[in-house]
Amino acid sequence: MAFSDFKAIPEVQERFRIKHTDTDFITVSETEISPSEQFLQELAFSRQYIDVFASESARCEAVIFPVLREVYKEYAEDYALWIKKPITYDETLSGTPDYFISTRSELGMLVVGIPLIMFVEAKKNDFEQGWGECLAEMVAAQKINADPDVPVYGIVSDGTWWQFGCLVGDAFTRNRTSFSVDNLPSLFGAINAVFKAAGEASVL
């Protein structure tokens, strides 16, 4: 069974006995970060001359990855960004996340450290399916980490809208507020807040 076989949050809840709540754990007003001028110019160029929402691949390559990479730059010394890297816990929890963030392994850049943030692109703008897949990945990451008290974060995006979640123990919390690529300071701030929280939790 692959992560993508989970089509909705309740399927993962029932399979792994996960509780679900919706509440804001990211404070919008305190998190805004202005993107660099170079990033703004590159994104504006892509949106002007490329149909960045023509397909899933276009959204990933032209919008989602550039945004994720830009925020990741501040954490590159300590964390690894993986693209289409398969992960496996067991026969039920396995597959290939679109992207995920882990700590850097002491064995080098080819080895995955502790998975901290799982990222899924919403297929055909289907956030329900996206979260089913993402939550399954978060459960796998939690089990691989072998410490349910270490939070695992998840992000689901269709390129325009970005949603955030957190799994601690058997409790999954989805941030009630979504963030838009049309408000980049808020979006960058939200992603950065998740990076920061995940990093702080991993060293406790």
Side-chain angles (χ1 to χ4, degrees), residues 130-176:
W131 271 115
E133 183 175 344
C134 190
L135 182 54
E137 293 175 1
M138 294 165 71
V139 172
Q142 183 185 72
K143 292 182 178 297
I144 290 170
N145 295 347
D147 187 348
D149 293 328
V150 173
V152 177
Y153 291 87
I155 304 173
V156 177
S157 174
D158 63 357
T160 298
W161 289 101
W162 299 59
Q163 298 181 356
F164 299 81
C166 178
L167 176 67
V168 182
D170 64 352
F172 168 65
T173 302
R174 184 165 53 176
N175 203 69
R176 184 176 290 124

Short mmCIF file of all heavy atoms in Angstrom, two decimals, residues 130-176:
data_model
loop_
_atom_site.label_atom_id
_atom_site.label_comp_id
_atom_site.label_asym_id
_atom_site.label_seq_id
_atom_site.Cartn_x
_atom_site.Cartn_y
_atom_site.Cartn_z
N GLY A 130 -5.01 15.20 -0.98
CA GLY A 130 -3.66 15.62 -0.64
C GLY A 130 -3.36 15.41 0.83
O GLY A 130 -2.28 14.92 1.20
N TRP A 131 -4.32 15.73 1.70
CA TRP A 131 -4.10 15.57 3.13
C TRP A 131 -4.14 14.11 3.54
O TRP A 131 -3.45 13.70 4.49
CB TRP A 131 -5.10 16.39 3.93
CG TRP A 131 -4.61 17.77 4.19
CD1 TRP A 131 -5.12 18.95 3.74
CD2 TRP A 131 -3.43 18.12 4.94
NE1 TRP A 131 -4.35 20.00 4.17
CE2 TRP A 131 -3.31 19.52 4.89
CE3 TRP A 131 -2.47 17.37 5.63
CZ2 TRP A 131 -2.26 20.19 5.53
CZ3 TRP A 131 -1.42 18.05 6.25
CH2 TRP A 131 -1.33 19.43 6.21
N GLY A 132 -4.94 13.29 2.87
CA GLY A 132 -4.91 11.86 3.16
C GLY A 132 -3.53 11.29 2.93
O GLY A 132 -2.96 10.56 3.76
N GLU A 133 -2.94 11.66 1.79
CA GLU A 133 -1.60 11.20 1.44
C GLU A 133 -0.55 11.80 2.38
O GLU A 133 0.35 11.10 2.86
CB GLU A 133 -1.30 11.59 0.00
CG GLU A 133 0.04 11.10 -0.52
CD GLU A 133 0.23 11.41 -2.00
OE1 GLU A 133 -0.77 11.74 -2.69
OE2 GLU A 133 1.38 11.34 -2.46
N CYS A 134 -0.67 13.09 2.66
CA CYS A 134 0.32 13.75 3.49
C CYS A 134 0.30 13.22 4.93
O CYS A 134 1.35 13.00 5.53
CB CYS A 134 0.10 15.26 3.49
SG CYS A 134 1.42 16.22 4.27
N LEU A 135 -0.90 13.01 5.48
CA LEU A 135 -0.99 12.50 6.85
C LEU A 135 -0.39 11.11 6.94
O LEU A 135 0.27 10.77 7.93
CB LEU A 135 -2.44 12.52 7.32
CG LEU A 135 -2.67 12.05 8.77
CD1 LEU A 135 -1.81 12.84 9.75
CD2 LEU A 135 -4.15 12.17 9.14
N ALA A 136 -0.60 10.29 5.91
CA ALA A 136 0.01 8.95 5.90
C ALA A 136 1.54 9.08 5.91
O ALA A 136 2.24 8.33 6.61
CB ALA A 136 -0.45 8.17 4.67
N GLU A 137 2.07 10.04 5.17
CA GLU A 137 3.51 10.27 5.17
C GLU A 137 3.99 10.75 6.54
O GLU A 137 5.08 10.36 7.00
CB GLU A 137 3.87 11.31 4.10
CG GLU A 137 3.63 10.82 2.67
CD GLU A 137 3.89 11.91 1.64
OE1 GLU A 137 4.27 13.03 2.05
OE2 GLU A 137 3.71 11.65 0.44
N MET A 138 3.19 11.59 7.18
CA MET A 138 3.56 12.08 8.50
C MET A 138 3.57 10.94 9.53
O MET A 138 4.46 10.90 10.40
CB MET A 138 2.59 13.19 8.92
CG MET A 138 2.68 14.44 8.06
SD MET A 138 1.26 15.58 8.25
CE MET A 138 1.56 16.23 9.90
N VAL A 139 2.62 10.03 9.42
CA VAL A 139 2.61 8.86 10.32
C VAL A 139 3.85 8.02 10.08
O VAL A 139 4.51 7.56 11.03
CB VAL A 139 1.33 8.03 10.11
CG1 VAL A 139 1.42 6.72 10.89
CG2 VAL A 139 0.09 8.82 10.53
N ALA A 140 4.21 7.82 8.81
CA ALA A 140 5.42 7.05 8.49
C ALA A 140 6.65 7.72 9.07
O ALA A 140 7.52 7.05 9.67
CB ALA A 140 5.56 6.90 6.97
N ALA A 141 6.75 9.04 8.91
CA ALA A 141 7.89 9.78 9.44
C ALA A 141 7.97 9.63 10.96
O ALA A 141 9.05 9.43 11.53
CB ALA A 141 7.80 11.25 9.05
N GLN A 142 6.82 9.74 11.61
CA GLN A 142 6.78 9.60 13.07
C GLN A 142 7.28 8.22 13.50
O GLN A 142 8.07 8.10 14.45
CB GLN A 142 5.36 9.82 13.57
CG GLN A 142 5.21 9.77 15.08
CD GLN A 142 3.76 9.87 15.51
OE1 GLN A 142 3.00 8.93 15.33
NE2 GLN A 142 3.38 11.02 16.06
N LYS A 143 6.86 7.19 12.79
CA LYS A 143 7.28 5.83 13.14
C LYS A 143 8.77 5.60 12.83
O LYS A 143 9.47 4.93 13.58
CB LYS A 143 6.40 4.81 12.42
CG LYS A 143 4.95 4.82 12.90
CD LYS A 143 4.12 3.77 12.21
CE LYS A 143 2.68 3.76 12.74
NZ LYS A 143 2.61 3.40 14.18
N ILE A 144 9.24 6.18 11.73
CA ILE A 144 10.66 6.07 11.41
C ILE A 144 11.50 6.77 12.48
O ILE A 144 12.55 6.27 12.89
CB ILE A 144 10.94 6.68 10.02
CG1 ILE A 144 10.34 5.79 8.92
CG2 ILE A 144 12.44 6.86 9.79
CD1 ILE A 144 10.34 6.44 7.54
N ASN A 145 11.00 7.91 12.95
CA ASN A 145 11.72 8.65 13.99
C ASN A 145 11.71 7.92 15.32
O ASN A 145 12.56 8.19 16.18
CB ASN A 145 11.10 10.04 14.17
CG ASN A 145 11.25 10.92 12.94
OD1 ASN A 145 12.02 10.62 12.04
ND2 ASN A 145 10.50 12.01 12.90
N ALA A 146 10.74 7.02 15.51
CA ALA A 146 10.63 6.21 16.72
C ALA A 146 10.46 7.06 17.98
O ALA A 146 10.85 6.65 19.07
CB ALA A 146 11.84 5.28 16.86
N ASP A 147 9.89 8.25 17.82
CA ASP A 147 9.61 9.11 18.97
C ASP A 147 8.35 9.90 18.68
O ASP A 147 8.39 10.95 18.03
CB ASP A 147 10.78 10.05 19.25
CG ASP A 147 10.59 10.84 20.55
OD1 ASP A 147 9.48 10.81 21.10
OD2 ASP A 147 11.56 11.49 20.99
N PRO A 148 7.20 9.43 19.14
CA PRO A 148 5.92 10.09 18.82
C PRO A 148 5.79 11.49 19.40
O PRO A 148 4.91 12.25 18.99
CB PRO A 148 4.87 9.15 19.42
CG PRO A 148 5.61 8.39 20.49
CD PRO A 148 7.00 8.24 19.98
N ASP A 149 6.66 11.84 20.35
CA ASP A 149 6.58 13.17 20.94
C ASP A 149 7.27 14.25 20.10
O ASP A 149 7.12 15.44 20.37
CB ASP A 149 7.20 13.16 22.35
CG ASP A 149 6.38 12.32 23.32
OD1 ASP A 149 5.14 12.28 23.16
OD2 ASP A 149 6.97 11.72 24.23
N VAL A 150 8.07 13.83 19.11
CA VAL A 150 8.70 14.79 18.21
C VAL A 150 7.70 15.16 17.13
O VAL A 150 7.25 14.29 16.36
CB VAL A 150 9.97 14.21 17.56
CG1 VAL A 150 10.51 15.17 16.50
CG2 VAL A 150 11.04 13.96 18.62
N PRO A 151 7.29 16.41 17.02
CA PRO A 151 6.29 16.80 16.03
C PRO A 151 6.77 16.55 14.60
O PRO A 151 7.95 16.76 14.29
CB PRO A 151 6.10 18.30 16.28
CG PRO A 151 6.61 18.55 17.65
CD PRO A 151 7.72 17.56 17.86
N VAL A 152 5.85 16.10 13.76
CA VAL A 152 6.11 16.00 12.33
C VAL A 152 5.13 16.95 11.65
O VAL A 152 3.92 16.91 11.94
CB VAL A 152 5.91 14.56 11.81
CG1 VAL A 152 6.10 14.51 10.29
CG2 VAL A 152 6.88 13.60 12.49
N TYR A 153 5.63 17.77 10.76
CA TYR A 153 4.79 18.77 10.10
C TYR A 153 4.48 18.35 8.67
O TYR A 153 5.24 17.61 8.05
CB TYR A 153 5.48 20.14 10.12
CG TYR A 153 5.57 20.73 11.51
CD1 TYR A 153 6.63 20.40 12.34
CD2 TYR A 153 4.58 21.56 12.00
CE1 TYR A 153 6.71 20.91 13.64
CE2 TYR A 153 4.64 22.08 13.30
CZ TYR A 153 5.71 21.74 14.10
OH TYR A 153 5.77 22.24 15.39
N GLY A 154 3.36 18.83 8.17
CA GLY A 154 2.96 18.54 6.79
C GLY A 154 2.49 19.80 6.10
O GLY A 154 1.94 20.71 6.72
N ILE A 155 2.74 19.86 4.80
CA ILE A 155 2.29 20.97 3.97
C ILE A 155 1.64 20.40 2.72
O ILE A 155 2.20 19.50 2.09
CB ILE A 155 3.45 21.90 3.55
CG1 ILE A 155 4.20 22.43 4.77
CG2 ILE A 155 2.94 23.06 2.70
CD1 ILE A 155 5.46 23.22 4.43
N VAL A 156 0.47 20.90 2.37
CA VAL A 156 -0.21 20.51 1.13
C VAL A 156 -0.50 21.79 0.35
O VAL A 156 -1.00 22.77 0.92
CB VAL A 156 -1.52 19.74 1.41
CG1 VAL A 156 -2.24 19.42 0.09
CG2 VAL A 156 -1.23 18.45 2.17
N SER A 157 -0.18 21.78 -0.93
CA SER A 157 -0.38 22.99 -1.74
C SER A 157 -0.82 22.63 -3.15
O SER A 157 -0.42 21.61 -3.70
CB SER A 157 0.92 23.80 -1.81
OG SER A 157 0.78 24.90 -2.69
N ASP A 158 -1.63 23.52 -3.73
CA ASP A 158 -1.96 23.40 -5.15
C ASP A 158 -1.22 24.47 -5.95
O ASP A 158 -1.53 24.72 -7.11
CB ASP A 158 -3.47 23.51 -5.39
CG ASP A 158 -4.04 24.88 -4.99
OD1 ASP A 158 -3.27 25.72 -4.48
OD2 ASP A 158 -5.24 25.09 -5.19
N GLY A 159 -0.21 25.07 -5.32
CA GLY A 159 0.53 26.14 -5.96
C GLY A 159 0.03 27.50 -5.53
O GLY A 159 0.81 28.39 -5.17
N THR A 160 -1.28 27.68 -5.52
CA THR A 160 -1.86 28.95 -5.08
C THR A 160 -2.07 28.95 -3.57
O THR A 160 -1.59 29.82 -2.85
CB THR A 160 -3.21 29.21 -5.79
OG1 THR A 160 -2.98 29.32 -7.19
CG2 THR A 160 -3.83 30.51 -5.28
N TRP A 161 -2.79 27.95 -3.06
CA TRP A 161 -3.09 27.85 -1.63
C TRP A 161 -2.18 26.83 -0.96
O TRP A 161 -1.88 25.78 -1.53
CB TRP A 161 -4.55 27.48 -1.41
CG TRP A 161 -5.48 28.60 -1.76
CD1 TRP A 161 -6.21 28.74 -2.91
CD2 TRP A 161 -5.74 29.77 -0.99
NE1 TRP A 161 -6.91 29.92 -2.90
CE2 TRP A 161 -6.64 30.58 -1.73
CE3 TRP A 161 -5.30 30.22 0.25
CZ2 TRP A 161 -7.11 31.79 -1.27
CZ3 TRP A 161 -5.76 31.45 0.73
CH2 TRP A 161 -6.66 32.21 -0.03
N TRP A 162 -1.77 27.16 0.25
CA TRP A 162 -0.87 26.32 1.04
C TRP A 162 -1.52 26.07 2.40
O TRP A 162 -1.94 27.00 3.08
CB TRP A 162 0.48 27.00 1.24
CG TRP A 162 1.21 27.29 -0.05
CD1 TRP A 162 0.77 28.05 -1.10
CD2 TRP A 162 2.51 26.82 -0.42
NE1 TRP A 162 1.71 28.08 -2.10
CE2 TRP A 162 2.80 27.34 -1.70
CE3 TRP A 162 3.47 26.03 0.22
CZ2 TRP A 162 3.99 27.08 -2.36
CZ3 TRP A 162 4.66 25.77 -0.42
CH2 TRP A 162 4.92 26.29 -1.70
N GLN A 163 -1.59 24.79 2.79
CA GLN A 163 -2.17 24.42 4.07
C GLN A 163 -1.13 23.67 4.90
O GLN A 163 -0.25 22.99 4.35
CB GLN A 163 -3.41 23.54 3.86
CG GLN A 163 -4.53 24.24 3.10
CD GLN A 163 -5.76 23.37 2.93
OE1 GLN A 163 -5.78 22.20 3.30
NE2 GLN A 163 -6.80 23.95 2.36
N PHE A 164 -1.26 23.78 6.24
CA PHE A 164 -0.25 23.25 7.14
C PHE A 164 -0.88 22.36 8.21
O PHE A 164 -2.00 22.61 8.65
CB PHE A 164 0.50 24.40 7.82
CG PHE A 164 1.24 25.29 6.85
CD1 PHE A 164 0.57 26.29 6.16
CD2 PHE A 164 2.59 25.12 6.62
CE1 PHE A 164 1.23 27.12 5.26
CE2 PHE A 164 3.27 25.94 5.71
CZ PHE A 164 2.59 26.93 5.04
N GLY A 165 -0.14 21.34 8.62
CA GLY A 165 -0.62 20.45 9.67
C GLY A 165 0.53 19.98 10.54
O GLY A 165 1.70 20.10 10.17
N CYS A 166 0.19 19.43 11.71
CA CYS A 166 1.20 18.95 12.65
C CYS A 166 0.69 17.69 13.33
O CYS A 166 -0.47 17.62 13.75
CB CYS A 166 1.48 20.03 13.69
SG CYS A 166 2.68 19.55 14.96
N LEU A 167 1.56 16.69 13.42
CA LEU A 167 1.22 15.43 14.08
C LEU A 167 2.13 15.25 15.29
O LEU A 167 3.36 15.23 15.15
CB LEU A 167 1.40 14.26 13.12
CG LEU A 167 1.18 12.85 13.70
CD1 LEU A 167 -0.29 12.64 14.09
CD2 LEU A 167 1.60 11.78 12.69
N VAL A 168 1.53 15.13 16.47
CA VAL A 168 2.26 14.83 17.70
C VAL A 168 1.53 13.70 18.40
O VAL A 168 0.34 13.82 18.71
CB VAL A 168 2.35 16.05 18.64
CG1 VAL A 168 3.17 15.69 19.88
CG2 VAL A 168 2.96 17.25 17.93
N GLY A 169 2.22 12.61 18.65
CA GLY A 169 1.57 11.45 19.24
C GLY A 169 0.45 10.96 18.34
O GLY A 169 0.65 10.74 17.14
N ASP A 170 -0.76 10.84 18.88
CA ASP A 170 -1.89 10.40 18.07
C ASP A 170 -2.82 11.56 17.72
O ASP A 170 -3.99 11.35 17.39
CB ASP A 170 -2.68 9.30 18.81
CG ASP A 170 -3.31 9.80 20.10
OD1 ASP A 170 -3.02 10.96 20.51
OD2 ASP A 170 -4.09 9.05 20.72
N ALA A 171 -2.29 12.79 17.79
CA ALA A 171 -3.11 13.98 17.53
C ALA A 171 -2.61 14.73 16.31
O ALA A 171 -1.45 15.17 16.27
CB ALA A 171 -3.10 14.89 18.76
N PHE A 172 -3.49 14.88 15.32
CA PHE A 172 -3.17 15.64 14.12
C PHE A 172 -3.94 16.95 14.16
O PHE A 172 -5.16 16.98 14.32
CB PHE A 172 -3.57 14.86 12.86
CG PHE A 172 -3.54 15.67 11.59
CD1 PHE A 172 -2.35 16.18 11.10
CD2 PHE A 172 -4.71 15.94 10.90
CE1 PHE A 172 -2.31 16.94 9.94
CE2 PHE A 172 -4.69 16.69 9.73
CZ PHE A 172 -3.49 17.19 9.24
N THR A 173 -3.23 18.06 14.00
CA THR A 173 -3.84 19.38 13.97
C THR A 173 -3.61 20.01 12.62
O THR A 173 -2.47 20.11 12.16
CB THR A 173 -3.24 20.29 15.06
OG1 THR A 173 -3.42 19.69 16.34
CG2 THR A 173 -3.92 21.66 15.04
N ARG A 174 -4.68 20.42 11.97
CA ARG A 174 -4.56 21.14 10.70
C ARG A 174 -4.78 22.62 10.97
O ARG A 174 -5.77 23.00 11.61
CB ARG A 174 -5.56 20.62 9.67
CG ARG A 174 -5.40 21.28 8.31
CD ARG A 174 -6.11 20.53 7.21
NE ARG A 174 -7.51 20.26 7.50
CZ ARG A 174 -8.36 19.68 6.64
NH1 ARG A 174 -7.92 19.28 5.46
NH2 ARG A 174 -9.62 19.49 6.97
N ASN A 175 -3.84 23.44 10.51
CA ASN A 175 -3.97 24.87 10.71
C ASN A 175 -5.23 25.38 10.00
O ASN A 175 -5.43 25.12 8.81
CB ASN A 175 -2.74 25.58 10.15
CG ASN A 175 -2.51 26.95 10.78
OD1 ASN A 175 -2.16 27.04 11.95
ND2 ASN A 175 -2.72 28.01 10.01
N ARG A 176 -6.07 26.08 10.74
CA ARG A 176 -7.35 26.51 10.18
C ARG A 176 -7.16 27.52 9.05
O ARG A 176 -7.88 27.52 8.06
CB ARG A 176 -8.22 27.12 11.29
CG ARG A 176 -9.61 27.51 10.81
CD ARG A 176 -10.47 28.02 11.96
NE ARG A 176 -10.82 26.93 12.87
CZ ARG A 176 -10.57 26.93 14.17
NH1 ARG A 176 -9.94 27.96 14.72
NH2 ARG A 176 -10.94 25.93 14.94
#
